[in-house]
Amino acid sequence: MTNQDIFERLRDILVDTFDIAPDRVVATARLHEDLDIDSIDAVDLIVRLKPLVGKRLQPEAFKAVRTLQDVIDALQGLIKAPDAAETSA
């Protein structure tokens, strides 16, 4: 999966789920400051991104995420990582 594929899916989620105007969804957009994504929204976003990775996502992996590009980079890292990215239930 390419960064562009992830970005397009991320954009779709943000537009459809959080009613964010498509023109505001750019890689440099800051989640909280530019897109008004709060901590509860961020958890919902992580849940919706899980199918992209095919693994359970740890919220801790997203603590340092500030921009959409950070989200894309984190997801790419999880996609390419071995099962260490999975959480044990």
Side-chain angles (χ1 to χ4, degrees), residues 15-86:
V15 169
D16 296 341
T17 305
F18 302 105
D19 295 321
I20 296 172
D23 62 327
R24 291 177 56 201
V25 182
V26 295
T28 57
R30 296 169 295 174
L31 296 173
H32 180 69
E33 295 86 349
D34 299 331
L35 302 177
D36 299 319
I37 299 293
D38 62 23
S39 58
I40 293 172
D41 292 336
V43 171
D44 191 24
L45 180 61
I46 289 170
V47 169
R48 293 177 186 278
L49 291 171
K50 179 184 173 190
L52 287 177
V53 180
K55 302 175 183 177
R56 294 187 66 186
L57 303 179
Q58 296 179 346
E60 298 82 32
F62 292 89
K63 282 188 177 182
V65 166
R66 299 291 178 253
T67 67
L68 292 183
Q69 186 61 53
D70 293 341
V71 174
I72 293 166
D73 293 342
L75 289 172
Q76 276 293 12
L78 291 171
I79 289 168
K80 293 176 181 175
D83 292 338
E86 293 185 21

